[in-house]
Amino acid sequence: MKVSYKWLKDYIDIDFSSAEMDEILTQIGLEVGGIEKFQSIKGGLEGLVIGEVKTCEPHTNSDHLSITSVDINSGELLPIVCGAPNVAAGQKVVVATVGTVLYDGDDSFTIKKSKIRGELSMGMICAENEIGLGNAHDGIMVLPEDAKVGTLAKEFFDIEDDLTIEIDLTPNRIDGASHIGVARDMAAYLKQQKEIDYNIPSVEDFKIENTNLPIDVKIENHEACHRYSGVCISGVKVAESPEWLQNRLKAIGLSPISNVVDITNYVLFETGQPLHAFDYAKTNGKVVVKTLAAGTLFKTLDEVERELNGKDLMICNNEAPMCIAGIFGGIKSGVSESTTDIFLESAYFDSVYVRKTARRHGLNTDASFRFERGTDPNNTVYAMKRAALLIKEVAGGEIASEVVDIYPNPTEDFKVEVSIERIENLIGKEIGKETIKNILKALEIKIEKEDGDSLNLLVPPYRVDVKREADIVEEVLRIYGFNNVEIPAKVNASLSYAPKIDEHKLRNTIADMLTAAGFNEIINNSLTKTSYYEGLESFKQENTVSIFNPLSSDLNAMRQGLLFGGLECVAYNINRRNSDLKFYEFGKSYQHIVNPENENPVDNYFEHERLGVFMCGNKTATNWNLKEEPTSFFHMKAYVENILRRFGFDNERLRIRETENDQFTEGLTYGLRKTILVEMGMVNGKILKTMDIETQVYYADFDWATLIKQAMKNKVSYTELPKHPAVKRDLALLIDKKVTFADIKTIAFNCEKKLLKSVSLFDVFEGEKLGSNKKSYAVSFILQDTEKTLNDKQIEKIMQKLIKSYEKQLGAELR
């Protein structure tokens, strides 16, 4: 939001430099994004001076040029060659001296000493359009005879200089979205140092002069319109605004339109209350605030025909809509040059209604900006009277109706209870009870009741962001001054033992592991396409959390998992010839699963923390001493098991099975009984095809919240290092292809639970000599007794037992 420094001084007596304004406003929460110099005429007429043409003779080498001598009170006459047909001796004129920069829109040129057709010219006698004072260009600008020679043009024409302050308003500080709002906040801050206050223009002169323009107002939707005020003005003359009004608007980046419209904009940026002026003749004497049937067509001021939603609040006459409430006017009901009577609206519309309608139609206006964040419901009548008086001043007319003010349920002050001790504890400094009370008073927060250390406060409704104790503390601190709270010389800390897992630390540990292994972290938008989930059983489309007012069809739902966001990153990189990829992402997934037992609809929405890991392309690039190695299923499996191991889950504890998730072509699921910890494998080719990815992608989907929950149950245990050596024995088993290593491992531990420590697979072989449905597994067994050294007899007995079990249960043969 832009603020004019001169305009601001109409409400508060201040005299600060731009640097001081920057510091003060930023400190009180109205952060300054930039300060620029504003001039009502570009260049400020610098270098231009009032002169008198002493002589004027025809140029001997031209039939349209004149040679003049001009007095600008510099001690000598300036020779100037002029091409204007109306130049003559004795005229008072505007002279651009050598070195002056003149502007033509964004272009500029500098006046130089030159020779024109052989005659010296030391400046230029200017026309209106050449210096920005008008549009006339048929001759030079001739001034009144009493114009004083040597007067600077910027003083003669009273050029206005100003500072435009750009304030980066945060969404919660809509109370500062006006000049009076900024003045009010500055006064609250400065009151802590000196006696000062802000003032608002009086509306005591407002009076009803006749009732020639009766108006009937009806609110049909009180949920969307809490208050509606208005008044009629007759006999106005719509014309160009006076210079002072135009300069005020130009200083904050607005283009003047007409006196009536400019006043509504002026009062908006003065008070923060949006207004709208209707042509009274188009109202038919009746105003109805209501919603219309979905599909109704309405053409707005920008000449765009819009299809209304059934929840768009409209301002209508007795026949048709005239305006989208709080957002944009209609093309047929606005003020035009032929308008003589107006109806002036000042209302308080519900912020949610305005925001949703603005998003539906892609409209963002100064009015909707304020209504969406919350205006002051108790300010509508004042703003309306202020605008009516100004309209009378600049456009004439009379107040021609009773004041309409429909306000069935007045908004009450917000009630907040705080304690002085709590405020000082959160601030970190004892600032004193009286100081706190003075700050609250300066912020127009009333103290309803004071009971010892406790204060019962009444916060005005225009402070929509101050409803809790923490908000009050923030208000006190920003006015007291963040910089006035000293940094202590020491830091007090207490050590505590946290029995629970530090989730943040563990997350960083896993992130460091993956980063060290060559992975890059990605962060994707939680919004995604609903179409991604079409035809998936693992993530059904009906379980998608849809967005009511999506920005686009590409962002119309919350993601159910991290897969598609990661694949978008993969596709983006592959399309830019970066195909060897390793990504990981921590993020949340969202689902809507209707459960009839949950009476509260909110309970049907679920949010889960997940970790997604992606791999594709080559694990290692071609090098002089390394062969190119493509990423494989087993590389991903190794990373998955390393992460699980870091959580304290080894394969002996886990239940590993083939995944049944249709996100994968082939995959494994790791879990504990019925609890799934992670699913990993090769991404389904159909999904890759929809993403235009031709290479194989490997993906692991960790249920991060469940991992943390299960890891909390892990207990640290230790045993003494064994004193006796371990023995390794190998078996080469010829088995059916359908037999998995997990089957071999399970049988082994069922046969020997005491002395068998580990089972590992070190070779797999398939070939025609073995048979079409056969494969060979080379398996290692580690045996160890913690009490004594194993002898050959014990070892042989265990191995024979294993062989017989494999022969009997798997039909295995020794090779």
Side-chain angles (χ1 to χ4, degrees), residues 731 733 796 798-808 812 814:
L731 291 178
L733 301 173
E796 184 61 25
I798 293 171
M799 296 307 298
Q800 288 300 319
K801 186 178 179 182
L802 288 171
I803 293 170
K804 289 180 180 179
S805 296
Y806 289 138
E807 290 175 343
K808 181 178 180 181
L814 286 181

Side-chain angles (χ1 to χ4, degrees), residues 310-328:
K311 293 187 178 180
D312 293 336
L313 187 67
M314 304 297 294
I315 309 300
C316 309
N317 58 25
N318 58 348
E319 297 176 352
M322 300 186 294
C323 174
I324 303 178
I327 302 174
F328 214 21

Side-chain angles (χ1 to χ4, degrees), residues 280 340 552 735:
Y280 176 81
T340 57
S552 69
I735 54 178

Side-chain angles (χ1 to χ4, degrees), residues 76-100:
E76 59 182 18
L77 299 180
L78 296 181
I80 297 177
V81 177
C82 181
N86 65 328
V87 64
Q91 291 174 334
K92 299 291 180 67
V93 294
V94 180
V95 180
T97 57
V98 173
T100 299

Side-chain angles (χ1 to χ4, degrees), residues 225-265:
C225 180
H226 301 284
R227 186 177 190 180
Y228 195 92
S229 309
V231 72
C232 297
I233 306 173
S234 65
V236 299
K237 181 175 178 55
V238 178
E240 189 177 80
S241 294
E243 190 174 349
W244 71 266
L245 179 54
Q246 292 193 42
N247 287 339
R248 282 283 191 259
L249 298 180
K250 288 177 181 177
I252 59 173
L254 294 182
S255 298
I257 299 172
S258 67
N259 48 14
V260 173
V261 176
D262 290 349
I263 286 298
T264 60
N265 285 330

